[in-house]
Structures are given as structure tokens and as C-alpha cells.
Amino acid sequence: MKNKKPLILISNDDGYQSKGIRCLIDMIRDMGDILVCAPEDARSGYSCAFSATQYLTLKQRSKEDGVEIWSCNGTPVDCVKLALNQFCRDRMPDMVIGGINHGDNASVNTHYSGTMGVTLEGCMKYIPSVAFSLCDHYEDADFEPMRPYVRKMTKRVLEEGLPKGVCLNVNFPLVSEFRGVRVCRMAHGTWGNECVKCHHPRGYDYFWMVGSYTNDEPENDDTDNWALTHGYIAITPTQIDVTAYEALRSMKNGNWEE
């Protein structure tokens, strides 16, 4: 790849063949040299997991002017780590993008998302990083309405960067027309009914992890869930530092230290 354009590293948790990642490449391919390293198959829910007990493989899937696509048998984070180690030793990416994800990654889904795992890994390497997700799990979802927003946000991050230790979690509602963009905090929400027990004909029980999500503060209009419910694109600045600073100050003043 030539060094005249920014280098953008893309990965996801839906697999290198998913429509979301293919649409993302098409949306921004003129904005930089594109390096894709994504899982061979779906890896949803892998968060920041990486492979510590199995070997990893890389396969080149295609290479054309300005776009190089590789797949990996590991997790989304494995893909980013391998790409940086194997392909970016002499040229670090100017930006890491996760997505476009099939399904939202708002609220506590942030902590489970492999798409956010990609973005957090880039952020931990001090690379400006953004995750894009659409509230549609359909494999043939329509990502085209996102195009001008994805391009605008990508351009802005490439030009301005992001604060150290901060990445962006961007979620798009499933609506015919977006009402606008909101910068939001993560909503408080919970998952329930997460385990479905089934009985196998051979005599043992097995379980499916499913569940239903509840927004625990539906009336608060400063959250990502509220924005998505009301047709707005939600941008949530997300930080690597998970220290609870208010609790830290309280504990320091509360005789916890000896």
C-alpha cells in the first residue's frame, strides 16, 4: 500500500464476508488505504477476548488497489492484534473502525460486543477508533442511509483525532430517516431471561443464551437508548479507564487506606 493516504484498519464481529463490513469498505474506500482483518465467521459477544490457548491463522482473501482483506480464525481482538503485528510494523493505522455491526451496541451491550472489542483494542494502542452499528440484525440489512454520516465522522476523526484513551461507540436506529445526531451517555439497562433450558433426546439438558433487554431509565433523554428509540443517531464517547472516580474519592476519604 502507498503511504499517500491515511491507513484505516477495519474489523468486526460478524465475519469478513458480512454485508456490514463490505458496505463500510465501499463507503470509505476513497478516504484512505483500507486494511481489513476480520474473523472467518461470526464472533458476536466476544467482547475483548483474545485467544490464549489456541493457535491462529491468517488467510488473504483479496487484494486490489487500496484495499487488502484478510481473515483470521480467532476473535475480533485477535484480528486487530495480528494485523498490527504482521502488517503494520512500519506503518501504524491512522484509524481503527469496528463494524458496521448487524445489531445495536448501545447501553450495556457495549461490554459484550466484539465490535466494541475491536474499537477498544485500537484505543488501547492509542489509535483513534470508532465503532459503527445499525439496529438491524437482518443479514441483508440496508446500510446505505448511514453513508453520509459514516463518511463525515470518519473524516472528522482522521483530521482531528480523539482524546487519548477515548473511542466512539456510534449506533444508528432502524428508521426510514434519521432525525439527527445526539452525543449521549450509556443508558442503564439489564438483560433478563438469558438462559433457555432444553432437553436432548439422548437424556441430557443443554442451554441457549438468549434474553431480553430492558432500558431501566426510558424517560431520560440524555442516553443512547433514548436517542435510538426516538430516531436519532447516538454517539457515546467511551473510555478505556474504568476507574470509578467518585467512589475512589469517597473511599480515600472513608478510611479505606491504611
Side-chain angles (χ1 to χ4, degrees):
M1 292 183 178
K2 299 178 182 179
N3 291 1
K4 294 181 180 180
K5 294 182 178 180
L7 176 60
I8 302 172
L9 172 60
I10 296 175
S11 191
N12 70 355
D13 68 1
D14 292 312
Y16 78 98
Q17 293 180 312
S18 71
K19 184 177 180 180
I21 201 169
R22 288 186 282 111
C23 288
L24 174 61
I25 294 167
D26 182 68
M27 290 175 187
I28 65 170
R29 65 184 304 154
D30 65 321
M31 301 179 70
D33 290 326
I34 307 298
L35 172 61
V36 177
C37 188
E40 291 181 350
D41 300 296
R43 299 286 190 273
S44 295
Y46 273 67
S47 186
C48 290
F50 67 94
S51 299
T53 58
Q54 69 177 50
Y55 67 85
L56 300 173
T57 60
L58 286 168
K59 295 180 182 178
Q60 188 174 57
R61 299 295 179 169
S62 65
K63 184 178 181 180
E64 53 190 83
D65 186 31
V67 180
E68 192 169 331
I69 299 178
W70 293 76
S71 70
C72 169
N73 65 323
T75 70
V77 166
D78 288 332
C79 293
V80 177
K81 288 182 179 293
L82 275 174
L84 294 176
N85 179 267
Q86 294 297 304
F87 309 131
C88 302
R89 293 179 179 178
D90 299 322
R91 182 188 178 195
M92 289 296 288
D94 297 280
M95 185 174 178
V96 170
I97 301 180
I100 299 170
N101 190 64
H102 293 248
D104 82 271
N105 283 313
S107 184
V108 293
N109 293 343
T110 301
H111 297 293
Y112 301 114
S113 165
T115 302
M116 280 304 296
V118 167
T119 308
L120 291 166
E121 183 65 24
C123 189
M124 285 189 277
K125 296 294 192 292
Y126 307 123
I127 303 169
S129 301
V130 179
F132 293 117
S133 303
L134 175 65
C135 297
D136 189 350
H137 291 277
Y138 183 45
E139 65 179 18
D140 194 31
D142 182 11
F143 297 96
E144 190 58 29
M146 300 171 60
R147 181 182 293 269
Y149 298 93
V150 169
R151 287 182 59 83
K152 182 178 180 180
M153 293 178 196
T154 299
K155 182 176 185 293
R156 184 162 186 172
V157 171
L158 284 172
E159 292 178 350
E160 300 178 12
L162 290 169
K164 182 178 179 180
V166 173
C167 57
L168 301 183
N169 181 14
V170 185
N171 288 276
F172 289 75
L174 182 58
V175 293
S176 58
E177 185 175 347
F178 304 123
R179 294 183 64 186
V181 180
R182 290 287 184 96
V183 179
C184 317
R185 66 175 175 86
M186 186 177 78
H188 294 290
T190 50
W191 280 90
N193 303 314
E194 295 179 275
C195 305
V196 173
K197 183 179 180 180
C198 304
H199 189 73
H200 197 278
R202 292 185 176 177
Y204 60 86
D205 293 330
Y206 63 98
F207 302 85
W208 287 105
M209 299 300 291
V210 286
S212 56
Y213 173 78
T214 300
N215 180 2
D216 295 328
E217 45 176 345
E219 301 306 318
N220 288 342
D221 62 5
D222 62 341
T223 73
D224 51 8
N225 276 167
W226 187 95
L228 294 171
T229 300
H230 290 81
Y232 291 93
I233 300 163
I235 303 178
T236 304
T238 304
Q239 64 183 19
I240 298 299
D241 183 355
V242 296
T243 306
Y245 283 99
E246 185 175 343
L248 174 68
R249 289 188 290 270
S250 176
M251 292 176 72
K252 280 183 172 291
N253 295 328
N255 300 318
W256 280 77
E257 296 181 332
E258 297 181 1

